[in-house]
Amino acid sequence: MIFKKWETKGIINLPLKTKLLITYVLLTFIPMAFLGLAIYYQNIKSIEEEVGEYIPRLLKQANQNIENEISDLENLSNLIYNSSDVLKVLRGSPYQEKSALLEDKFTVENFLSNTYLDGTNSDILGAFLLSNNRTFISTKLNYEGFNFENEFLPYGEPHDFDANVKILLPHQVDLTFQGNPPYILLVKNIKDLDNRNNLGTLILAVQVNFIKEVLKDVDEEENATMWMMDQQGQIIFHTDQAKIGKVYTELNHFPLLNGSFRTTTANDRTLISVNQSHKNKWIVVHSIPLKYLTEGTDVVRNVSIIIFLVLVAITTVISIILAWTVTKPLHVLAGVMKDVEKGNLDVEIPIKSKDEVGILASSFRSMIHRIRELIKKNYQIKLNQKEAELYALQSQINPHFIYNTLETIGASVEEGEQEIVVEMVAILGKMLRYSLSNKENLVPIRNEVEHIQHYLTLQKYRFEERIQFEIDNELENKDYYTPKFILQPIVENAVKYGMQSRRMLQLSIFIKKVLEQSGKEYIEFNISDNGPGIEKNELEHLVQRLQSESWIKRDSGFGITNVHSRIVMMFGNDFGLTIESRKEEGTAMIITIPIIRKEDVERFITKYEGGDPYDED
């Protein structure tokens, strides 16, 4: 019935060009348009969600850093106990002769100046010490206010703020400094440690520059606004300095104090992220209009629309031309099929035949494209598997070494050598962190050297005077890179065999840059020992193994052949491992790699993942 209705309307009898255009519009143009819009709005949504999750984590860390800074500042109040002269003044009577009072004032204020104002913390604006109707003041800037007879700190009375440091904001006191810098006050009771009497109250005025520095690292987006306020909305710090000290009245309308939410106004939509600290209950707020988050997406959208319209125009013209010129003979398509049958998948399929041939050619082309994709995908899977195997190989660490190290640590604990135990545990932790992190193929040479130095240090603790080592790194101050874990397998091998036959094993590691007369530059790692050496026949066999490609199919341990194979796979046959050894005279293993600077690492890794990094484009 439907077919007859179409036939009645004449649609089935329309020219092929018209049917192709209608099909193109229905199956290509409209779906692409809807797909583009869906992708665009999904990208915007994803950006908002990612930023909404990412920024609160940064704010939480910023709050923690600020609390840590405040904790460090709070500890400054305890420095007053380091001065016996100041404590003597505070314990003394305020009713003395004027000369004695002046001498006390000089002693205390000189201590305040030297300890708090001239110290390493440049954010302290002033120090105020109140004790028994006496005031001792030292400030960097001129100040006004700070009336001691108001309700903030009754003058001449003990101020019981318990053992903690109390934090006061500028709006709670009548105190301003020259230039009106934003600050907070840290107030701490000074207790006499002998009799627990209250000796006075120390007040430190601290400029909030440390808050600015912490929040600056959260987001460098110039269109973002950040501020910190207390639970009542009093602004402690704001990127707009004019708003510091004011009250943020919209705080009560926030739906949450830890997370992100969107607000919509008549002018714009804004993403607001907040986090409240645990200790001080201060709130950090990050606000940014959504239009700045999606600027890049909007540019991509506009460019995509232009490209889409151009492609639509081009494909429409092509569709019209193809609809008029579908005259490709079948034997041309058959010839193409024979080429494919012989294994040539890089064929061009001209679509100039009639309707049936055009459909057949299009289907055949899709099949060839799919075959090429499957071949490429299969190759990529194998390549990824090989990369995964190499990474797993690189991440190994000898369990016997860990076991022996833990035994040495246990023995040191039993002997009460606490400092050695702490150092060995710290070194072992660094080695494990180096082994389990940093998945890059290339690492700075100094990191690789530091790792092997940690390894040898632990062996030194184990074997004591039986092992001696020296490391000479001429490239210590250079930002050169090397494959990870190329030294430890060789050093492990030297320790393993050397300690079996030598009363004292001497290991030497020299790292330098070599410039040949031909102008070729490379980096050389020379690892030598005074071990038992290698028999001539065994050495020849080992060299043959290194020069062969049998390592590609061999699942060997983390040893010399793996080091050589990884270097050859990454840099080619011009680089790798060579061995020089004589029986009872020791062994020298020399590793050569190309010079890779920091700025070349990303380009090198990109080229390596795509093919030989030394192929000329």
Side-chain angles (χ1 to χ4, degrees), residues 121-149:
N121 196 316
S122 60
D123 291 333
I124 298 180
L125 298 175
F128 305 82
L129 182 57
L130 314 181
S131 175
N132 294 332
N133 291 319
R134 294 174 295 176
T135 61
F136 307 96
I137 301 174
S138 179
T139 64
K140 288 182 179 179
L141 302 176
N142 295 329
Y143 69 95
E144 294 180 358
F146 209 65
N147 184 4
F148 300 109
E149 298 181 2

Side-chain angles (χ1 to χ4, degrees), residues 245-343:
K246 297 182 179 180
V247 178
Y248 186 75
T249 57
E250 297 181 13
L251 175 60
N252 295 330
H253 300 294
F254 281 8
L256 47 82
L257 292 180
N258 287 283
S260 298
F261 59 92
R262 255 194 327 263
T263 61
T264 303
T265 62
N267 298 326
D268 207 347
R269 294 191 310 155
T270 303
L271 181 67
I272 297 179
S273 303
V274 294
N275 181 264
Q276 187 176 33
S277 65
H278 295 291
K279 181 179 179 181
N280 299 317
K281 301 301 180 182
W282 288 354
I283 302 169
V284 178
V285 185
H286 179 280
S287 174
I288 184 171
L290 291 176
K291 63 181 181 181
Y292 296 115
L293 293 178
T294 59
E295 279 181 335
T297 305
D298 292 338
V299 173
V300 173
R301 178 200 61 189
N302 296 335
V303 173
S304 300
I305 290 174
I306 295 174
I307 295 175
F308 177 74
L309 294 176
V310 172
L311 291 176
V312 167
I314 294 174
T315 53
T316 301
V317 173
I318 294 175
S319 298
I320 295 174
I321 295 174
L322 291 177
W324 283 100
T325 59
V326 182
T327 57
K328 187 70 178 177
L330 284 173
H331 69 273
V332 174
L333 184 58
V336 173
M337 289 182 176
K338 289 182 180 180
D339 290 338
V340 173
E341 185 180 3
K342 295 177 182 179

Side-chain angles (χ1 to χ4, degrees), residues 397-409:
I397 186 167
N398 193 329
H400 295 290
F401 167 70
I402 297 179
Y403 176 79
N404 292 333
T405 301
L406 293 177
E407 277 195 334
T408 305
I409 292 174

Side-chain angles (χ1 to χ4, degrees), residues 362-460:
S362 179
S363 299
F364 189 70
R365 182 179 59 186
S366 298
M367 182 185 69
I368 297 301
H369 178 73
R370 180 61 177 167
I371 292 174
R372 286 199 298 261
E373 288 294 325
L374 289 175
I375 293 174
K376 181 179 179 181
K377 183 178 180 181
N378 187 49
Y379 173 79
Q380 189 63 40
I381 289 174
K382 291 184 178 179
L383 183 62
N384 291 341
Q385 288 175 346
K386 177 58 69 176
E387 287 293 327
E389 291 171 2
L390 286 177
Y391 177 72
L393 184 63
Q394 294 172 8
S395 299
Q396 294 179 18
I397 186 167
N398 193 329
H400 295 290
F401 167 70
I402 297 179
Y403 176 79
N404 292 333
T405 301
L406 293 177
E407 277 195 334
T408 305
I409 292 174
S412 299
V413 171
E414 293 178 355
E415 294 175 6
E417 298 175 340
Q418 297 180 356
E419 294 182 357
I420 294 179
V421 170
V422 171
E423 183 176 358
M424 292 180 68
V425 170
I427 291 175
L428 183 59
K430 291 178 181 179
M431 291 187 65
L432 291 173
R433 188 181 302 114
Y434 183 78
S435 301
L436 300 176
S437 64
N438 193 7
K439 296 183 179 179
E440 290 81 8
N441 290 317
L442 301 173
V443 297
I445 289 179
R446 68 175 69 92
N447 292 0
E448 183 73 3
V449 172
E450 182 184 29
H451 178 72
I452 201 61
Q453 189 168 17
H454 288 160
Y455 171 83
L456 288 172
T457 300
L458 292 180
Q459 295 289 24
K460 178 71 174 176

Side-chain angles (χ1 to χ4, degrees), residues 563-586:
V563 172
H564 179 73
S565 65
R566 286 165 50 211
I567 294 175
V568 171
M569 289 185 66
M570 296 183 72
F571 309 122
N573 293 324
D574 291 339
F575 303 96
L577 175 67
T578 58
I579 305 175
E580 298 176 359
S581 180
R582 290 187 179 181
K583 187 65 176 176
E584 301 301 329
E585 293 185 11

